[in-house]
């Protein structure tokens, strides 16, 4: 028999609600101030401090503004540390607009290629629906940034500064998405009418040229060559002329990206540890490197991240940033907000259950710049460089408790030298291909 909400049922609910004095207090507090403010655990700011036994020398935080380029900002924040070391600079910033231009152009091509590869799939099927959901957006993965750098290089921010659009991308992404969905429609209809594959590819090239034009109008044209000028910490002036983006990367960054791999922690039944994984239809550069991970226990991610920082290098990572984050205080901890007491209930899903049921996945990328180790060498809090400007957290930096790391951390990128042989061999094995909509295919 179907159960419906009745007047008697509502009357019982209201009677029970009114019988508990705490409900009235909670209702007054939340309706006036909001959930987070009413549930905030003020003791937490005393317990989770911004002090760390291992802390790298770092620059001021960057600001992605109204764009979703956290994965790119985080990667460039890792790489700029090498530039600062190689040039004896106190402060330096790589252009985020330059790789964003090519990332969007490559994503457009990747999408159109995916459409051409799925012409026999039904339009209302799950795969086409997935491809059409976000043909082009700001999000990305570490391996996608590597593909852009390996193909196009990088430039200083002075060689391609931010534009109004690169700092606020919603409009461009909306128009580019509309155009690419139209392109998909044209290609699929033409195929259904018997147009040859060669003609479809010619159409695709013209479509891609339109996206290129849109990007130039909104981001500006990327430089082919430029001059790099700077004054180092010792007040010495330097000028390097006629650099290409690739020669600049080789000379001033010089990081071999092939030595860095992604570790994930996905404790779900369908993803055994010490196996390599990739995701179907996930990428940007069609001929670029595969987005690949090795799934490891959470303690292995911690060990590798600590080892890399102790070796003097920051660590790129991906997490579900919105969970239990006190943005003003810059604290990430499961106990940041006492919502269980506020609502008189529990939120008891495990990490695996949250992944399986769509409650959590990687949403944001940042950089570890430090960690606090206790007397026995175990981490209890992590120093996080964000890209939301200096107004968020403590001068733009966050502190993550180790318990938060356990629950909401999904990915770290480290040099292979910091990993046991077993983990590296697992990463290099033939990857298990996950469905395009798997939570491990999420973009930061």
């Amino acid at each position: 028999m179907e159960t419906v909400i009745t007047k008697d049922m509502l009357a019982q609910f209201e009677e029970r609600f009114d019988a508990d004095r705490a409900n009235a207090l909670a209702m007054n507090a939340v309706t006036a101030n909001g959930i987070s403010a009413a549930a905030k655990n003020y003791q937490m700011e005393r317990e989770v401090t911004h002090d760390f036994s291992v802390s790298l020398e770092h620059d001021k935080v960057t600001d992605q503004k109204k764009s979703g380029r956290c994965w790119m900002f985080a990667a460039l924040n890792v790489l700029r540390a090498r530039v600062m070391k190689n040039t004896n600079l106190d402060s330096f910033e790589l252009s985020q607009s330059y790789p964003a231009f090519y990332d969007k152009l490559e994503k457009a091509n990747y999408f159109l290629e995916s459409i051409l590869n799925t012409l026999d799939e039904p339009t209302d099927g799950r795969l086409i629906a997935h491809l059409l959901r976000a043909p082009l957006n700001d999000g990305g993965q570490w391996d996608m940034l590597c593909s852009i750098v390996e193909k196009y290089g990088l430039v200083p921010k002075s060689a391609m500064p931010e534009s109004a659009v690169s700092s606020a991308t919603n409009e461009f992404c909306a128009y580019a998405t509309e155009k690419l969905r139209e392109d998909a429609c044209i290609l699929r209809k033409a195929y259904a009418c018997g147009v040859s594959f060669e003609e479809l590819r010619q159409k695709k090239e013209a479509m891609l040229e339109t996206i290129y034009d849109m990007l130039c109008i909104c981001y500006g044209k990327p430089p082919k060559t430029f001059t790099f000028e700077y004054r180092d910490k010792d007040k010495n002036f330097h000028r390097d002329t006629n650099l290409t983006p690739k020669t600049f990367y080789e000379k001033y960054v010089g990081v071999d990206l092939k030595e860095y791999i992604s570790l994930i922690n996905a404790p779900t039944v369908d993803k055994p540890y010490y196996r390599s994984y990739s995701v179907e239809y996930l990428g940007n550069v069609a001929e670029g490197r595969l987005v690949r991970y090795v799934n490891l226990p959470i303690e292995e991610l911690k060990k590798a991240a600590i080892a890399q920082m102790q070796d003097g290098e920051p660590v790129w990572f991906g997490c579900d940033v919105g969970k239990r984050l006190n943005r003003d205080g810059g604290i990430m901890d499961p106990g940041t907000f006492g919502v269980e007491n506020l609502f008189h209930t529990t939120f008891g899903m495990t990490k695996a259950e949250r992944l399986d049921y769509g409650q959590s996945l990687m949403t944001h990328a940042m950089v570890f710049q430090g960690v606090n180790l206790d007397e026995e060498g175990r981490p209890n809090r992590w120093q996080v460089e964000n890209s939301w400007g200096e107004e968020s957290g403590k001068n733009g930096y966050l502190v993550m408790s180790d318990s938060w790391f356990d629950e909401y951390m999904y990915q770290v990128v480290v040099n292979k030298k910091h990993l046991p042989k077993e983990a590296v061999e697992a990463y290099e094995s033939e990857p298990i291909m996950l469905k395009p909509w798997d939570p491990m295919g999420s973009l930061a």
Side-chain angles (χ1 to χ4, degrees), residues 293-314:
Y293 327 104
V294 57
N295 193 21
L296 299 175
I298 196 71
E299 292 303 320
E300 294 303 316
L301 273 67
K302 295 179 185 180
K303 289 177 185 176
I306 292 169
Q308 183 153 304
M309 284 188 285
Q310 289 177 327
D311 196 36
E313 280 194 81

Side-chain angles (χ1 to χ4, degrees), residues 87-98:
T87 56
N88 192 33
L89 282 171
D90 275 324
S91 182
F92 177 78
E93 204 166 335
L94 289 159
S95 170
Q96 301 92 1
S97 183
Y98 176 83

Side-chain angles (χ1 to χ4, degrees), residues 10-28:
L10 288 174
Q12 290 176 11
F13 288 171
E14 184 178 7
E15 183 179 355
R16 291 169 189 164
F17 181 88
D18 292 341
D20 190 337
R21 174 175 169 270
N23 286 334
L25 294 174
M27 181 170 62
N28 290 337

